[in-house]
Amino acid sequence: MTRLLTPFPNDAGARDGFVVDGYARAIEGVTAEIRSEIEHRYADQWNKSGFIKRWFLKRRMNNETAALVAERSKHISPDACY
């Protein structure tokens, strides 16, 4: 038996194929990818540090994540349809 994949209907019942919150989902995907790269890069430092050093390291990681997300997502338009 084969299944047909069909898009979910929107609130009006139409099947337009658009994704709700497409821009936010795209940015979240980029952020998750970058965050895992950065966590892997700082894993040794994280494991060797105490509470205060982890706090500073977390801030550095967040700043680096934000910069890389901005760089990698500059081609993604918030006005596009998803």
Side-chain angles (χ1 to χ4, degrees):
M1 180 199 277
T2 59
R3 285 180 54 199
L4 296 176
L5 298 176
T6 58
F8 289 105
N10 61 16
D11 292 339
R15 294 179 183 260
D16 53 16
F18 289 104
V19 178
V20 177
D21 299 332
Y23 178 73
R25 290 180 186 202
I27 297 299
E28 286 174 15
V30 172
T31 303
E33 178 182 313
I34 291 171
R35 187 170 302 279
S36 67
E37 292 173 10
I38 290 175
E39 286 175 353
H40 180 70
R41 187 179 324 149
Y42 287 105
D44 290 336
Q45 282 181 285
W46 184 267
N47 291 331
K48 294 177 184 177
S49 61
F51 178 75
I52 300 298
K53 288 186 179 182
R54 281 186 181 186
W55 184 78
F56 283 110
L57 188 59
K58 184 70 171 172
R59 290 180 55 133
R60 185 185 319 156
M61 291 167 61
N62 287 341
N63 289 338
E64 195 171 327
T65 300
L68 287 173
V69 167
E71 180 184 324
R72 289 191 191 176
S73 64
K74 63 184 174 187
H75 68 281
I76 301 174
S77 173
D79 298 327
C81 292
Y82 293 90

